[in-house]
Amino acid sequence: MSACSPDEQSNNRLAEGDWEARLSSELAGLQGLADEVDGNPEALLLLLRRLEDLHRTIQDGPFRASLPADRGELFNLLQGMERSGGWPYIPRLQLRTFLDLLQSDDDDSALAA
């Protein structure tokens, strides 16, 4: 573990704050894109697919490469992940789920008629 001077610690926090502000801005832009195509399932599906691709790219590339090699540090990281909400998984609905929902809607419509 390296010791940082108070000035270095302050600079690290500022840089992290700038990074979080940039991240928030990018996420707001993505939300804006989603809002623009609200009601267009094809465009929203494309957005979701691209986000999932980005998630996998970060997970399999820079995140995996940045994991600590030291078991103790890795354990601390994993404990911190658990405390802060666990692994950032992007769930994928299966087409079978959609088809089942459509089928149940058709059945309900037939019964109502």
Side-chain angles (χ1 to χ4, degrees):
M1 186 162 124
S2 64
C4 294
S5 72
D7 287 339
E8 289 173 324
Q9 289 175 351
S10 177
N11 287 339
N12 288 342
R13 280 193 297 273
L14 286 174
E16 185 176 306
D18 288 345
W19 182 87
E20 287 181 22
R22 286 178 45 213
L23 177 61
S24 293
S25 175
E26 296 291 339
L27 292 173
L30 290 170
Q31 181 63 56
L33 285 174
D35 293 343
E36 284 179 34
V37 295
D38 187 17
N40 181 339
E42 292 87 5
L44 290 167
L45 181 59
L46 176 62
L47 177 60
L48 289 171
R49 285 179 174 158
R50 296 283 175 90
L51 288 171
E52 184 177 17
D53 287 344
L54 177 61
H55 178 269
R56 286 186 182 161
T57 299
I58 293 169
Q59 172 184 302
D60 295 338
F63 179 76
R64 189 165 290 171
S66 72
L67 290 174
D70 177 85
R71 284 184 181 200
E73 290 177 24
L74 181 59
F75 181 76
N76 290 336
L77 174 66
L78 294 174
Q79 276 189 321
M81 284 172 57
E82 272 305 306
R83 281 193 300 270
S84 66
W87 183 252
Y89 174 71
I90 298 178
R92 174 185 277 192
L93 292 176
Q94 300 297 318
L95 287 177
R96 184 78 244 159
T97 303
F98 286 120
L99 294 173
D100 290 345
L101 288 171
L102 288 172
Q103 184 64 39
S104 70
D105 284 347
D106 289 344
D107 292 345
D108 290 345
S109 298
L111 292 174

